[in-house]
Amino acid sequence: MINFNVKNRNKIVLLLMLVVSLIQVSCGSSEEKQEYDADVIIYGGTSAAITTAVQLKRMHKSVLIVCPEKHIGGLSSSGLGFTDLGNKEVIGGISKEFYTSVYNHYQDEAAWNWQPRNEYGNEGQGTTAIDDDLKTMWTFEPHVAENIFEKMVTDNDIKVIRNKWLDRNNGVELLDGKIVSITMLTGEKYTGKIFVDGTYEGDLMAAANVNYHVGREANSVYNETWNGVQKGVYHHSHNFQELNISPYVIPGDSTSGVLPRISTAPPGEQGSGDNRVQAYNYRLCTTNAEGNVVPFEKPKDYDPAEYELLRRVFKGGRYSMFGGGEIPNHKRDVNNVGPFSSDNIGMNYEYPEASYEERKVILEEHINYHKGLLYFWGHDESVPERFRKSIKKWGLAKDEFQDNNHWPYQIYVREARRMIGDFVMTENEILGRSKVDKPIGMGSYTMDSHNVQRYITKDGYVQNEGDLGVDAEEPYQIHLGTILPKQKECKNLIVPLAVSSSHIAFGSIRMEPVFMILGQSAGTLAALALDEDIDIHEVSYDELKEKLIADGQVLSY
């Protein structure tokens, strides 16, 4: 038995009190939620969020990115490497810098580790992949894009706090028409003078009670032709057209039930509006380079009956598998092609407004559908043997998305919420019928909508609807008001992705080079407002225009 004298006992008591005190302090500090402050808070880690932050740092403003993503860059670093481009001459500023960085990367022979450079060819989407005159490159591997965005962040000393999810129900504090702070589900609070919604979904915009639209407006709303329901319009090959395929389990027998992934709801009147959303998919990075192939796996709960409609497409003589285009190192950016492909038509309608938990279920469904499609192509006996043999040589790229089982981090959110802001871009501006008096950038891509629904025609056949491609005769200007909420709704929020536009106009604006352009313009606008201590709506357009042009933005063509 150890004998403690009074002196030692007092020391021990004091020591225990100190330990308890330290534990209490430690517990208190771990429970205390952190607070962050910057001139500008950007929520989201997309390509536009990065260019916004870079521009703000160049204009000597403090900025902080807080985002749900662990990997920044959005679709540009998540599989969309065969760039939706349009006219490359109207891509300027930081957006062009990104594609110059891609060019510089592939000038190094060491970058061609799975393929000699001289074997690659030079085909991009509607242009050359490698442009030696402009020093730009428009095709690239996902990890290359992500590394470039990470270097932008590092070189400009931009703080990015990742894996943080906005409390969409109670996390936006508003006072006198301004956002004061945003709070994450984990309790961290971010305070700023100006906020930027850098998400594809427009989550911050919606949580701030800014007006927005989901789905297609009727043509009558903005005096358009291509916006609403477009039955019988076949601009691409992504429709059944003359195949006359029965939608029923027993062909021709409507009492036998309807095949999976076909809606039994009426498609709507021609030109009418609805709340349907164009289809999403994943832009896979696939390869056939020996040593870099991860075979396509059979998904859990694989059900070949899900793909019966594709069997009937094959019987009708249509064989389409891989869309998209070639990117360096024997890889392919895979996109939807044909009437039944990776676009999961009709399964994303709830996504824009869904909770995080509901979105996770939707994403899992899309992943399982897509994996099942890949497995079907390689193994189902309805697929001609030559195609089965061919696809088995392909797989996911082992050196891409390595911490996500080589699957892209980001689903292709082609469209979600769209703000109803200071100015609504419509097909009339895209097609040059109406002029834009305050341009902050330019677009040029086709007004492109993927299919919105798969329905049963009056004649009893299956058909897709909503797939459009309407070309503008020349590049068009994008109005300042497309990134601004109405002043009465919010005075300090800028929205460079879920921009104010009709469904069909958004089909052109929504391209990654344009998002990066709008991100830079958003950063410029915010910085000028901070310089003059005024609201973003009060910044002189002439002053904004002068700065945009000085920083390489293209505002006219």
Side-chain angles (χ1 to χ4, degrees):
M1 181 176 178
I2 300 175
N3 184 23
F4 291 104
N5 59 32
V6 173
K7 186 175 179 181
N8 285 337
R9 188 170 66 240
N10 288 341
K11 285 182 177 179
I12 291 170
V13 170
L14 287 170
L15 181 61
L16 288 171
M17 289 174 64
L18 178 61
V19 170
V20 170
S21 175
L22 287 172
I23 290 173
Q24 289 174 337
V25 170
S26 175
C27 290
S29 62
S30 65
E31 293 172 0
E32 183 180 340
K33 302 305 180 184
Q34 289 183 291
E35 295 192 8
Y36 299 87
D37 181 79
D39 289 331
V40 180
I41 304 296
I42 301 170
Y43 179 65
T46 56
S47 59
I50 305 305
T51 58
T52 302
V54 169
Q55 182 66 10
L56 283 161
K57 291 293 284 191
R58 289 179 178 178
M59 295 181 71
H60 312 295
K61 300 297 176 284
S62 63
V63 60
L64 191 150
I65 295 175
V66 55
C67 58
E69 297 90 349
K70 295 178 183 178
H71 297 269
I72 59 174
L75 260 297
S76 287
S77 56
S78 205
L80 209 170
F82 194 70
T83 305
D84 297 315
L85 182 56
N87 189 322
K88 57 194 173 186
E89 293 180 24
V90 299
I91 298 171
I94 300 171
S95 183
K96 184 179 178 183
E97 289 176 25
F98 170 81
Y99 297 102
T100 296
S101 295
V102 173
Y103 175 88
N104 291 336
H105 172 83
Y106 286 108
Q107 290 299 300
D108 185 350
E109 290 298 328
W112 299 87
N113 53 336
W114 294 104
Q115 175 185 38
R117 182 183 174 186
N118 59 8
E119 285 186 7
Y120 173 57
N122 199 21
E123 184 179 346
Q125 187 173 161
T127 186
T128 54
I130 305 170
D131 190 320
D132 290 320
D133 294 329
L134 290 177
K135 300 291 187 291
T136 51
M137 186 166 174
W138 308 101
T139 60
F140 48 85
E141 299 160 276
H143 74 272
V144 171
E146 184 177 0
N147 290 342
I148 291 170
F149 287 121
E150 290 288 1
K151 189 173 187 301
M152 285 181 171
V153 164
T154 301
D155 289 351
N156 290 279
D157 193 25
I158 297 166
K159 185 176 182 64
V160 181
I161 302 177
R162 307 171 199 236
N163 198 25
K164 297 297 178 184
W165 300 77
L166 175 67
D167 181 345
R168 289 160 53 193
N169 295 320
N170 304 297
V172 178
E173 182 184 357
L174 294 160
L175 181 65
D176 296 332
K178 290 186 176 183
I179 301 174
V180 176
S181 66
I182 60 174
T183 301
M184 303 299 115
L185 289 175
T186 43
E188 297 89 353
K189 180 182 282 190
Y190 298 83
T191 303
K193 298 173 184 174
I194 296 174
F195 292 79
V196 175
D197 188 331
T199 68
Y200 292 116
E201 296 84 358
D203 279 347
L204 175 56
M205 170 192 72
N209 298 321
V210 169
N211 255 323
Y212 60 86
H213 188 86
V214 176
R216 298 182 286 189
E217 300 90 347
N219 282 333
S220 58
V221 174
Y222 297 119
N223 190 29
E224 295 178 293
T225 301
W226 300 108
N227 195 9
V229 173
Q230 303 284 330
K231 293 176 293 186
V233 179
Y234 308 128
H235 286 174
H236 300 116
S237 63
H238 311 314
N239 294 282
F240 296 91
Q241 296 182 39
E242 74 291 341
L243 288 177
N244 292 343
I245 291 175
S246 175
Y248 303 115
V249 175
I250 299 174
D253 183 359
S254 62
T255 66
S256 64
V258 176
L259 292 177
R261 302 179 190 279
I262 301 173
S263 171
T264 57
E269 294 300 317
Q270 194 78 348
S272 64
D274 56 26
N275 60 1
R276 300 179 178 107
V277 179
Q278 62 173 304
Y280 298 170
N281 69 343
Y282 283 88
R283 296 294 287 257
L284 303 186
C285 184
T286 63
T287 185
N288 62 354
E290 188 174 346
N292 199 31
V293 175
V294 177
F296 299 131
E297 64 179 357
K298 185 178 182 179
K300 295 181 299 181
D301 304 321
Y302 171 69
D303 182 2
E306 290 285 318
Y307 307 97
E308 172 59 26
L309 191 52
L310 184 56
R311 289 193 186 97
R312 297 183 187 184
V313 172
F314 290 157
K315 288 179 182 177
R318 292 275 296 278
Y319 301 102
S320 53
M321 294 192 179
F322 280 4
E326 293 182 6
I327 58 177
N329 284 311
H330 280 306
K331 295 176 182 176
R332 189 175 187 90
D333 163 8
V334 174
N335 197 12
N336 179 81
V337 61
F340 191 105
S341 185
S342 60
D343 274 4
N344 199 359
I345 301 170
M347 304 301 288
N348 62 335
Y349 295 163
E350 306 302 322
Y351 180 89
E353 303 274 41
S355 67
Y356 296 132
E357 294 78 13
E358 290 166 339
R359 283 181 184 171
K360 186 176 180 181
V361 172
I362 293 169
L363 295 179
E364 283 298 321
E365 200 282 331
H366 276 70
I367 291 169
N368 287 333
Y369 164 74
H370 204 157
K371 286 183 176 179
L373 180 68
L374 294 166
Y375 186 82
F376 179 94
W377 277 341
H379 296 84
D380 198 90
E381 291 185 359
S382 67
V383 181
E385 185 177 4
R386 67 184 187 277
F387 289 117
R388 277 183 276 150
K389 284 184 177 180
S390 176
I391 198 170
K392 284 179 180 177
K393 297 176 183 178
W394 287 79
L396 301 176
K398 187 184 296 184
D399 59 351
E400 300 289 352
F401 314 121
Q402 292 181 327
D403 59 349
N404 199 44
N405 295 318
H406 315 289
W407 196 265
Y409 306 120
Q410 169 75 55
I411 196 170
Y412 196 168
V413 179
R414 289 191 172 90
E415 188 173 8
R417 301 182 184 95
R418 300 187 312 280
M419 181 170 62
I420 303 173
D422 240 14
F423 186 97
V424 180
M425 287 282 290
T426 71
E427 70 176 50
N428 299 305
E429 285 75 35
I430 306 290
L431 298 177
R433 299 174 190 148
S434 299
K435 298 300 181 184
V436 169
D437 60 349
K438 294 181 179 180
I440 56 169
M442 299 194 73
S444 61
Y445 198 79
T446 299
M447 288 193 295
D448 179 66
S449 172
H450 280 233
N451 278 306
V452 177
Q453 61 178 324
R454 178 176 288 141
Y455 69 101
I456 300 172
T457 69
K458 291 179 179 178
D459 296 326
Y461 300 119
V462 63
Q463 191 52 267
N464 295 340
E465 183 273 319
D467 184 83
L468 299 173
V470 182
D471 290 329
E473 290 186 7
E474 58 184 28
Y476 58 89
Q477 298 170 314
I478 301 173
H479 198 285
L480 167 63
T482 59
I483 65 172
L484 289 176
K486 293 176 181 176
Q487 190 169 9
K488 64 182 180 182
E489 292 181 11
C490 192
K491 301 174 185 176
N492 68 336
L493 174 66
I494 308 177
V495 184
L497 290 109
V499 295
S500 178
S501 62
S502 70
H503 154 74
I504 194 60
F506 189 77
S508 175
I509 296 169
R510 66 179 174 83
M511 305 306 160
E512 288 288 294
V514 178
F515 280 155
M516 285 190 266
I517 289 168
L518 297 180
Q520 178 179 345
S521 296
T524 306
L525 178 67
L528 292 177
L530 290 166
D531 282 342
E532 299 177 33
D533 193 22
I534 56 177
D535 288 344
I536 52 178
H537 295 81
E538 297 169 355
V539 171
S540 161
Y541 174 71
D542 288 339
E543 185 179 357
L544 174 63
K545 177 181 178 181
E546 182 179 357
K547 179 61 176 169
L548 293 176
I549 292 173
D551 290 339
Q553 293 277 56
V554 180
L555 303 185
S556 61
Y557 179 74

